[in-house]
Amino acid sequence: MSERRAKAKRIFTILEEQNPRPVTELNFETPWQLLVATVLSAQSTDKQVNKVTSLLFDKYPHPAQLAALMPEELAAEIKSIGLFRTKSKHLVASAKALLERHGGEVPADLPSLLALPGVGQKTANVILANAFGIPALAVDTHVFRVANRLGLVKAKTPTATEQQLTSLIARELWTDAHHWLILHGRYICHARNPHCTHCSLSEHCDYFHRQENRKGR
């Protein structure tokens, strides 16, 4: 673990030099808006979500407005987003749950967030970190892929990835580490055809060294 921790320190030092203050690319102003945007972002791009929410947030600035809708009504407004029917059901149900349980406010604790329809561990961690400044390390497909490729973790699930990363990284860096890994996955370490030759982390990357060794055979 000490060797992996030293490796993590080298990697995150490089990423911090490139992007000292990483932030989410989802547009939001309130915890409620971030909840909506994060639920919508599953299997969609932040760019597309921002297009949809730029109109959605004006019409439904508070859970009360969204709770008054039928899921079908919301679905018609977010149909450019993947899984829009399921997401519309979850968002309307979550809006109602916030009104009933939390006075219309998004809670700032993990168990309460996880009890909301459509809010899983990743979404809850994104809200805690970005809306409330509570250290959390959300694992999406990018974080999962990059962390495993680099060799920071050896995990088969997002849950195991989160557990290994949080044991490896100082708590105060959890949120930044999430952003650094997700942005690296989004722009450099693609699922297909990663830009290894343009990657500042190649020297420290298990995946890169495996690919190089195969070429040398």
Side-chain angles (χ1 to χ4, degrees):
M1 177 62 77
S2 59
E3 182 179 338
R4 199 178 296 180
R5 188 170 283 115
K7 177 177 184 172
K9 185 176 181 180
R10 291 193 297 270
I11 286 171
F12 290 119
T13 295
I14 293 169
L15 294 176
E16 183 176 17
E17 289 173 351
Q18 295 171 351
N19 188 358
R21 296 187 179 182
V23 295
T24 179
E25 293 187 322
L26 290 171
N27 295 334
F28 75 98
E29 293 181 359
T30 67
W32 162 244
Q33 290 183 353
L34 182 59
L35 187 155
V36 172
T38 308
V39 169
L40 292 178
S41 71
Q43 296 189 34
S44 187
T45 66
D46 287 2
K47 184 177 180 180
Q48 182 60 32
V49 170
N50 289 336
K51 286 182 182 179
V52 171
T53 57
S54 65
L55 301 174
L56 206 64
F57 292 159
D58 285 339
K59 293 183 70 174
Y60 312 109
H62 188 271
Q65 287 87 25
L66 207 66
L69 296 179
M70 295 294 291
E72 295 79 11
E73 294 176 288
L74 179 59
E77 300 199 54
I78 64 170
K79 60 185 178 181
S80 63
I81 298 287
L83 306 174
F84 66 95
R85 290 187 179 87
T86 299
K87 291 174 181 178
S88 64
K89 292 176 184 177
H90 286 157
L91 286 173
V92 170
S94 280
K96 291 178 178 177
L98 290 175
L99 293 173
E100 294 167 2
R101 304 174 200 165
H102 304 287
E105 299 298 323
V106 176
D109 67 278
L110 186 61
S112 296
L113 286 169
L114 291 175
L116 296 173
V119 176
Q121 184 77 19
K122 184 208 81 171
T123 297
N125 281 343
V126 168
I127 294 168
L128 290 175
N130 295 282
F132 298 110
I134 298 170
L137 206 162
V139 176
D140 71 345
T141 56
H142 295 301
V143 174
F144 178 78
R145 179 178 68 256
V146 173
N148 275 279
R149 278 182 175 174
L150 286 169
L152 292 173
V153 303
K154 296 185 184 299
K156 295 183 178 180
T157 65
T159 299
T161 300
E162 180 185 343
Q163 291 170 346
Q164 292 182 36
L165 282 174
T166 52
S167 68
L168 197 65
I169 304 165
R171 188 172 185 269
E172 61 269 20
L173 283 180
W174 287 357
T175 299
D176 285 348
H178 158 75
H179 291 309
W180 287 323
L181 291 173
I182 196 172
L183 292 171
H184 195 72
R186 189 171 289 165
Y187 296 109
I188 300 293
C189 193
H190 301 155
R192 296 181 180 181
N193 302 317
H195 299 320
C196 294
T197 56
H198 300 93
C199 178
S200 60
L201 304 179
S202 293
E203 179 184 349
H204 310 290
C205 179
D206 287 3
Y207 174 86
F208 175 75
H209 289 303
R210 285 196 301 270
Q211 297 303 108
E212 291 299 295
N213 287 337
R214 287 184 186 134
K215 291 177 186 177
R217 288 178 184 174

